Amino acid sequence: MADTKENILHTALRLFARDGYEAASVSDIAGELGITKGALYKHYKNKQDIFNSIVERMYQIDAERAKKFEVPEETFDRSPEAYRNTDMDKITAFIEAQFHFLTEDEFARNFRKMLILEQYRNPEIAELYQKCLVSGPVSYIEDLFREMMERGIWDKSDPKQLALEFYAPFYLLLSISDASPENKEPAKLLTVHIERFIEKNPALRKDK
């Protein structure tokens, strides 16, 4: 029973990533699995319920990874102390692990593709796309950098501008990786980017 529910989740996400959330129907998902719609509805109320479970799974994975790398699991408003106890080494390790996850894990890749594909057609997914891949990560890094400045680890500057400088290549390299998933160069370029970013900021170099 649990395997069937898990298979529905993964199959639905694969179809959402391939055809778009709006285009993929419950009938398509059930047909792909070789089960009836009635059998699917024993596990999920409807397509929205499947979608909500996919999003919840991604949030859960992100929180587990953040905990593993000792970086904040929640927003600054909810957990300010966690932002005050994070250094550049932890941020670097987390960002590199996040890149590998988003480019190599099938569930994560399909989740990204679904968001990219549907962002212009579905306001809910457009908001999720911003939260998970664009404005959300930038705000997260901005809060981390600002707190490092407050602690004197980093010279006072514009944390938002620095967050953009830090994150923009990450997002660009994700797109490059999508065009050639077997190519490992984007991950190497990300490592070089982070090293150069730290070198450009002497105060960070001392912290490192």
Side-chain angles (χ1 to χ4, degrees):
M1 183 73 81
D3 286 346
T4 302
K5 186 167 186 176
E6 191 71 6
N7 286 339
I8 293 171
L9 196 74
H10 285 267
T11 299
L13 178 56
R14 182 163 51 80
L15 294 182
F16 295 161
R18 189 189 69 187
D19 304 331
Y21 173 76
E22 299 293 346
S25 67
V26 170
S27 296
D28 294 331
I29 300 166
E32 190 79 6
L33 286 162
I35 63 176
T36 65
K37 287 172 63 177
L40 187 149
Y41 286 134
K42 291 180 181 176
H43 301 278
Y44 296 97
K45 291 184 291 187
N46 47 39
K47 191 169 79 169
Q48 182 68 45
D49 190 27
I50 299 173
F51 176 80
N52 291 343
S53 295
I54 289 169
V55 174
E56 185 180 341
R57 174 70 60 85
M58 276 302 295
Y59 283 160
Q60 180 186 355
I61 294 172
D62 277 347
E64 289 172 354
R65 186 176 306 95
K67 185 176 183 179
K68 177 181 178 181
F69 286 92
E70 301 179 13
V71 297
E73 300 169 42
E74 300 186 285
T75 62
F76 179 78
D77 292 341
R78 292 185 175 183
S79 182
E81 197 59 34
Y83 285 75
R84 293 168 186 141
N85 293 316
T86 303
D87 59 32
M88 200 60 202
D89 284 341
K90 292 176 181 175
I91 296 171
T92 298
F94 175 69
I95 288 294
E96 291 187 334
Q98 192 75 343
F99 187 85
H100 285 290
F101 173 66
L102 291 173
T103 56
E104 297 171 9
D105 183 90
E106 184 180 4
F107 192 90
R109 284 203 316 268
N110 283 336
F111 183 76
R112 276 197 308 114
K113 289 177 183 175
M114 175 185 70
L115 298 187
I116 292 168
L117 198 61
E118 285 295 325
Q119 61 173 311
Y120 302 108
R121 293 190 286 235
N122 184 313
E124 180 186 3
I125 294 181
E127 185 176 342
L128 192 62
Y129 169 78
Q130 286 293 322
K131 182 178 180 181
C132 293
L133 295 174
V134 188
S135 58
V138 171
S139 295
Y140 181 83
I141 295 168
E142 177 187 354
D143 289 337
L144 286 167
F145 285 175
R146 187 192 61 249
E147 290 307 306
M148 291 169 71
M149 292 173 191
E150 292 295 325
R151 285 155 53 205
I153 292 174
W154 206 345
D155 292 340
K156 290 280 186 178
S157 182
D158 182 343
K160 179 177 279 297
Q161 185 61 41
L162 286 175
L164 286 171
E165 290 177 16
F166 183 77
Y167 184 73
F170 178 95
Y171 187 85
L172 175 64
L173 290 168
L174 281 180
S175 298
I176 293 174
S177 180
D178 285 341
S180 182
E182 303 304 320
N183 185 0
K184 303 302 180 189
E185 189 179 15
K188 295 176 183 176
L189 289 172
L190 177 66
T191 298
V192 172
H193 159 64
I194 294 173
E195 289 173 353
R196 289 184 177 178
F197 181 85
I198 293 171
E199 287 298 316
K200 284 171 56 181
N201 294 276
L204 273 178
R205 196 163 57 235
K206 289 177 187 173
D207 175 62
K208 187 171 175 62

